Amino acid sequence: MKKILYFAFVLLPIVTLAQNFQGKVTYEWKASSEEYSKMIIQPDMDPVMKKFLEGKIKMMFHKTYILDFDKTASLYKEDRVLDLHGDGFVPNNSDDGNEIAYFKDLKTKELVLQKEFYSKDFTIKEPLENFDWKMESETKKISEYLCYKATAVVQIRGTLYGHEIKEEERSTNFLKEKEKPTEKTVTAWYAPEIPVSQGPENYWGLPGFILEINDGNAVTLCTKIVMNPKEKARIKEPTKGKVITQNEYDETVTKKMQEMREQFKSNGGRPSFRMGN
């Protein structure tokens, strides 16, 4: 009996620590904005409008994200810090249609995606994608962790401003230069020292934590990692906004893009500060 009590006394704190295990990772996401800038910013554009749009585009293509995780779940959210750019303009990220939060549950194999598009919130639920990772022998260090390389081929469809481009939209002048749907190779760098199969966005499924993702268009890189932070985060499924399917969300985006193009034409080819409601 004494031995049982002794082991219970010793093991209980260890079990409790494992149950309360958490980590917090800061990622910097960068993508090339050159193509989008050429399409939006015109040489003869009003200087004030040009400066506003340059600031807007900068915030679209360079962001900071925070990933809180435990053994079975993670919550990946944008760290929104508004920059006045010294000119009094505050770019409003709520119009870009980007993902605001990714929640991954490894127990149920479910991804819950919260999006914000033109001041409206949406929640999309779908199964976690199973990536066919190819393990490589190449290594490098990220944030003091030895990371191994892995690659996966992912099927994609053309995107603009974070949204899928449907075939019927390709006939418009606004989208005709975009490439057709194809596939891309995603490169991940994961740390086996952190035995949690998690990572940024919807990425997961490796024998270690993903500290870097390069999809050919953008790089998501860990800049800071804290294991068992003093302040524990609430890693819970997002519930804000209307629950819809991915197809329903795509239809909503398509409708808004059509409205934007019509307003773009009515303004004589000049974008407005607020393109629709």
Side-chain angles (χ1 to χ4, degrees), residues 14-263:
I14 297 175
V15 173
T16 303
L17 179 62
Q19 290 175 339
N20 294 330
F21 167 80
Q22 272 198 18
K24 182 183 290 287
V25 183
T26 301
Y27 289 95
E28 186 177 78
W29 176 87
K30 285 185 178 181
S32 174
S33 61
E34 183 177 354
E35 181 182 355
Y36 192 82
S37 295
K38 287 180 179 179
M39 183 172 61
I40 297 298
I41 298 178
Q42 305 300 318
D44 58 348
M45 185 175 288
D46 177 79
V48 176
M49 173 63 76
K50 181 179 179 180
K51 193 170 186 178
F52 169 78
L53 290 176
E54 287 175 341
K56 183 80 170 178
I57 292 171
K58 179 181 178 181
M59 293 196 73
M60 285 168 53
F61 291 90
H62 186 184
K63 299 182 180 183
T64 300
Y65 288 86
I66 303 296
L67 176 62
D68 291 295
F69 68 95
D70 56 26
K71 286 289 187 180
T72 60
S74 68
L75 184 62
Y76 183 73
K77 298 176 66 176
E78 181 182 348
D79 186 18
R80 291 187 168 189
V81 179
L82 296 180
D83 184 1
L84 293 177
H85 298 285
D87 57 13
F89 290 118
V90 182
N92 178 7
N93 272 0
S94 66
D95 291 348
D96 61 14
N98 282 351
E99 291 76 9
I100 303 304
Y102 289 82
F103 175 82
K104 295 197 293 291
D105 190 329
L106 300 187
K107 285 185 177 180
T108 61
K109 298 295 189 294
E110 184 179 53
L111 171 69
V112 180
L113 189 59
Q114 182 185 322
K115 295 189 177 187
E116 186 178 358
F117 184 63
Y118 276 80
S119 301
K120 292 184 179 180
D121 295 298
F122 301 92
T123 298
I124 299 169
K125 295 185 178 183
E126 55 188 17
L128 281 173
E129 182 175 355
N130 290 314
F131 296 96
D132 185 16
W133 294 110
K134 178 183 178 183
M135 316 301 262
E136 308 279 357
S137 59
E138 189 176 347
T139 64
K140 70 176 180 178
K141 274 202 169 185
I142 301 175
S143 296
E144 302 305 319
Y145 288 94
L146 180 63
C147 295
Y148 289 81
K149 182 180 179 181
T151 58
V153 177
V154 180
Q155 297 293 325
I156 61 169
R157 284 177 285 181
T159 61
L160 175 71
Y161 211 177
H163 309 307
E164 292 182 356
I165 301 175
K166 297 182 182 299
E167 288 302 318
E168 60 268 24
E169 294 180 292
R170 295 185 182 280
S171 59
T172 67
N173 292 331
F174 191 58
L175 300 171
K176 67 180 181 180
E177 300 299 329
K178 300 301 291 182
E179 295 182 357
K180 289 187 176 182
T182 182
E183 59 184 25
K184 62 181 178 181
T185 298
V186 175
T187 300
W189 293 90
Y190 66 97
E193 292 177 64
I194 308 175
V196 181
S197 184
Q198 286 281 10
E201 299 182 22
N202 63 321
Y203 295 107
W204 72 293
L206 284 166
F209 201 90
I210 300 174
L211 296 183
E212 181 180 331
I213 285 286
N214 186 331
D215 67 2
N217 297 314
V219 176
T220 304
L221 175 64
C222 165
T223 57
K224 182 180 179 181
I225 182 167
V226 179
M227 306 302 291
N228 289 313
K230 292 181 179 179
E231 294 186 10
K232 301 294 183 182
R234 297 184 63 188
I235 305 176
K236 291 190 174 182
E237 178 181 319
T239 57
K240 186 178 180 182
K242 181 181 179 181
V243 178
I244 60 175
T245 65
Q246 184 66 53
N247 287 337
E248 289 172 337
Y249 177 79
D250 291 342
E251 290 174 2
T252 300
V253 171
T254 299
K255 183 179 179 181
K256 175 56 69 175
M257 291 176 69
Q258 290 171 346
E259 292 176 2
M260 289 168 60
R261 287 197 294 273
E262 291 302 319
Q263 194 159 33

